[in-house]
């Protein structure tokens, strides 16, 4: 008796990944469980610290898809009780959008700035992405983010007090010490001096 081995080949032609009659959520095609592109943002910002005039504070919003931005979207901030904007800076064609707030003279907030609303102000612009070939408006909301450690200070330091030496008589060669206290931390460059009147002379 001879054994005959039959080799049977099956050919499968993949014509579509999805059932054209169902929606993506249903997953009625060859690959089940297909989900639409994520339409949400995550947010990060500059490091905590105190920012002075002309310094930049950046906010980065990361999306699940590449985005196309038109116009001038912005983030709404509260800086010392005033409404300030972080304007769209860059990111169209990528999935990371950067918004920038540049500190201006007269703006102060020593207990931390705030993001006034967790929603991008489109300001007449648009933010879109492609979902399965369809141009779709991006969400404008993003999670809350604490910015309590980001302070703004554009006011010049001021002297709070000057403490001189104890009352007494000082002889030639002895040192008189004066302690000057400011209302905030200062950096000293050069050799600052305090003008004194000793007798009839200014020294």
């Amino acid at each position: 008796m001879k054994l005959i081995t039959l080799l049977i080949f099956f050919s499968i032609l993949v014509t579509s990944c999805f059932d054209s009659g169902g929606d993506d959520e249903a997953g009625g095609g060859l690959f089940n469980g297909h989900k639409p592109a994520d339409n949400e943002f995550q947010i990060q910002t500059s490091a905590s610290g105190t920012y002075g005039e002309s310094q930049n504070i950046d906010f980065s919003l990361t999306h699940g898809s590449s985005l196309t931005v038109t116009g001038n979207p912005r983030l709404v901030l509260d800086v010392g009780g005033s409404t300030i904007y972080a304007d769209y800076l860059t990111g169209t064609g990528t999935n990371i959008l950067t918004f920038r707030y540049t500190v201006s003279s007269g703006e102060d907030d020593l207990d931390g700035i705030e993001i006034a609303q967790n929603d991008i102000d489109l300001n007449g612009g648009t933010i879109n992405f492609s979902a399965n070939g369809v141009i779709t408006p991006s969400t404008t909301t993003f999670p809350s983010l604490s910015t309590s450690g980001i302070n703004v200070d554009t006011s010049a330091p001021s002297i709070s007090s000057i403490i001189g030496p104890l009352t007494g008589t000082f002889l030639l060669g002895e040192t008189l010490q004066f302690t000057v206290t400011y209302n905030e931390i200062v950096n000293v460059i050069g050799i600052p001096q305090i003008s004194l009147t000793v007798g009839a002379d200014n020294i």
Side-chain angles (χ1 to χ4, degrees):
M1 178 181 294
K2 295 183 179 180
L3 296 179
I4 299 175
T5 302
L6 297 179
L7 298 179
I8 302 176
F9 295 92
F10 293 92
S11 177
I12 298 177
L13 175 63
V14 178
T15 58
S16 175
C17 292
F18 306 104
D19 184 353
S20 59
D23 57 23
D24 288 345
E25 292 291 341
L30 180 63
F31 301 115
N32 293 327
H34 174 69
K35 296 180 179 179
D38 290 336
N39 188 10
E40 61 183 16
F41 279 110
Q42 297 299 322
I43 183 170
Q44 292 181 311
T45 189
S46 298
S48 295
T50 299
Y51 293 78
E53 184 177 351
S54 298
Q55 289 188 297
N56 297 319
I57 301 174
D58 289 345
F59 300 84
S60 296
L61 272 67
T62 303
H63 193 268
S65 301
S66 293
L67 302 168
T68 299
V69 181
T70 66
N72 299 288
R74 58 192 182 179
L75 304 184
V76 184
L77 309 178
D78 182 327
V79 180
S82 298
T83 298
I84 303 295
Y85 297 99
D87 296 314
Y88 166 70
L89 180 67
T90 186
T92 190
T94 74
N95 69 323
I96 301 177
L97 305 184
T98 300
F99 296 79
R100 172 167 290 178
Y101 158 49
T102 301
V103 179
S104 297
S105 175
E107 296 172 352
D108 294 285
D109 195 327
L110 300 181
D111 59 1
I113 67 174
E114 297 179 6
I115 299 175
Q117 60 186 50
N118 298 324
D119 191 24
I120 300 171
D121 176 9
L122 290 177
N123 191 31
T126 63
I127 303 176
N128 297 320
F129 69 102
S130 176
N132 296 325
V134 178
I135 301 302
T136 304
S138 165
T139 181
T140 57
T141 61
F142 51 87
S144 60
L145 175 71
S146 173
T147 51
S148 60
I150 299 179
N151 301 320
V152 170
D153 185 4
T154 63
S155 299
S158 60
I159 295 175
S160 300
S161 65
I162 300 178
I163 300 176
L166 297 175
T167 301
T169 300
F170 294 84
L171 304 177
L172 180 66
E174 292 187 309
T175 299
L176 283 71
Q177 180 172 299
F178 296 81
T179 301
V180 179
T181 301
Y182 283 84
N183 66 339
E184 59 183 270
I185 296 174
V186 296
N187 295 317
V188 178
I189 300 174
I191 306 176
Q193 297 177 330
I194 298 176
S195 297
L196 302 175
T197 299
V198 179
D201 299 323
N202 293 325
I203 59 173

